[in-house]
Amino acid sequence: MSLRSRLGRDLAAVLEREILSGRWPTGSKLPTERELAVLHGVSRQTVREALDELERACLVVRRQGSGTYVAERRLEQSLLGHFSIVEAIRSSGLVIETTVLAQAVGPALPAVAESLGVAPESPVVELERLRAGGGEPFMLERTWLPAERLPGIEDADLTTVGLYETLRERYGVVLVRAVESFEPIVLHADEARRLGERSGRPALMLLRTTYDDQDRAIESARAILRADRCRSLVERRVVEPPRQPAASRRGRAGRTRRRTVAAAK
């Protein structure tokens, strides 16, 4: 690592500690590059490298012509023990606001039909919602539901009542499992506009199929989460086979040796 790169990383570490300590609160403007260079006795190039590092870590945001600001803290929550990301985030105490952007019946596209286990062109309810926390959007979600199994759900109020609560209370649907996959993407112009981001910025896409207690697919969903606002934690436990007592292992090894000797004779 070059001296210049090392200085940039060292300064980034100093600035990160100052941000996390609350010296510069969320949304506050950092000193200019010139001011930071003088304050820390480094070159402006080193300051730029440090700010690049902080931007990659989603700790700061740069606004052209305005300056560098402390980024909003990420919505970070473990998925362990929660059935959905929204449920996990809500459990942390954050109030989530939901805006329904679209809710109508239409024909199922092939990929949606395959996910729901219905014939192509079958009627499905397409639901598009924008999720916000602390007044700032963090997730754009599109959901498809089999219309024939859920008559009238296209008219349900899903702004104040959750979808899963509606499925349970109104239709008696018992959800038991979901299959999810995550992949990194970049935001298209329309997605970026709705999420209050710039086109081309990184994001995380979640694909989800949810099943009821009869193992029938009841929901196909695609959610796009802002990479600078969300971080999901997943815990995995290693389950090892029970270890055999040492005496048992020695006995088995002894039998193996005896068979080997016998074969040699």
Side-chain angles (χ1 to χ4, degrees):
M1 181 186 297
S2 68
L3 175 61
R4 175 178 292 179
S5 298
R6 187 167 66 251
L7 289 174
R9 286 181 178 272
D10 289 346
L11 178 58
V14 171
L15 296 176
E16 178 179 356
R17 286 195 295 271
E18 291 180 347
I19 290 172
L20 296 179
S21 71
R23 177 179 177 182
W24 291 309
T26 296
S28 64
K29 184 178 180 180
L30 295 184
T32 65
E33 290 181 1
R34 183 186 298 277
E35 291 169 340
L36 287 172
V38 172
L39 182 63
H40 294 278
V42 297
S43 68
R44 292 183 65 180
Q45 177 61 33
T46 297
V47 172
R48 292 190 193 99
E49 291 177 358
L51 294 178
D52 287 343
E53 190 79 16
L54 295 177
E55 188 173 32
R56 283 192 292 269
C58 297
L59 289 171
V60 301
V61 291
R62 283 160 157 162
R63 298 172 186 166
Q64 189 172 5
S66 178
T68 303
Y69 295 80
V70 178
E72 294 285 340
R73 294 292 177 88
R74 290 183 178 185
L75 305 175
E76 180 178 300
Q77 185 65 34
S78 171
L79 299 184
L80 189 66
H82 297 287
F83 195 65
S84 70
I85 283 183
V86 170
E87 178 188 327
I89 295 174
R90 186 177 284 123
S91 72
S92 68
L94 183 71
V95 176
I96 297 179
E97 304 99 39
T98 299
T99 302
V100 176
L101 304 175
Q103 188 174 347
V105 178
L109 296 175
V112 172
E114 180 180 2
S115 177
L116 290 175
V118 300
E121 304 294 320
S122 295
V124 294
V125 176
E126 181 174 348
L127 174 65
E128 187 171 25
R129 290 170 292 176
L130 183 66
R131 309 282 197 169
E136 185 171 7
F138 67 87
M139 183 169 73
L140 182 63
E141 186 176 19
R142 294 181 71 184
T143 303
W144 295 269
L145 308 161
E148 292 180 351
R149 289 189 56 196
L150 306 168
I153 197 169
E154 67 273 14
D155 298 319
D157 178 11
L158 298 177
T159 301
T160 56
V161 181
L163 172 61
Y164 291 170
E165 182 180 349
T166 299
L167 292 176
R168 181 179 63 252
E169 300 297 332
R170 182 169 173 177
Y171 297 95
V173 173
V174 179
L175 301 176
V176 296
R177 70 183 182 96
V179 178
E180 297 180 336
S181 65
F182 294 85
E183 59 183 88
I185 62 169
V186 294
L187 292 173
H188 295 154
D190 185 59
E191 297 165 343
R193 176 180 58 80
R194 294 185 177 191
L195 287 169
E197 265 283 21
R198 299 195 307 271
S199 178
R201 291 280 291 172
L204 188 66
M205 181 169 70
L206 164 66
L207 301 176
R208 175 186 177 100
T209 303
T210 309
Y211 297 84
D212 66 9
D213 57 348
Q214 299 180 51
D215 209 33
R216 297 178 298 182
I218 197 70
E219 174 201 37
S220 177
R222 185 192 72 173
I224 298 175
L225 300 95
R226 281 178 50 172
D228 66 329
R229 295 287 288 126
C230 299
R231 179 165 60 187
S232 300
L233 306 179
V234 181
E235 180 178 339
R236 294 286 182 260
R237 296 184 182 273
V238 177
V239 180
E240 297 183 347
R243 301 185 65 179
Q244 295 184 342
S248 175
R249 292 199 302 272
R250 286 196 299 271
R252 186 172 65 251
R255 290 194 297 274
T256 302
R257 285 195 295 272
R258 285 195 292 273
R259 284 198 297 270
T260 302
V261 171
K265 291 180 179 179

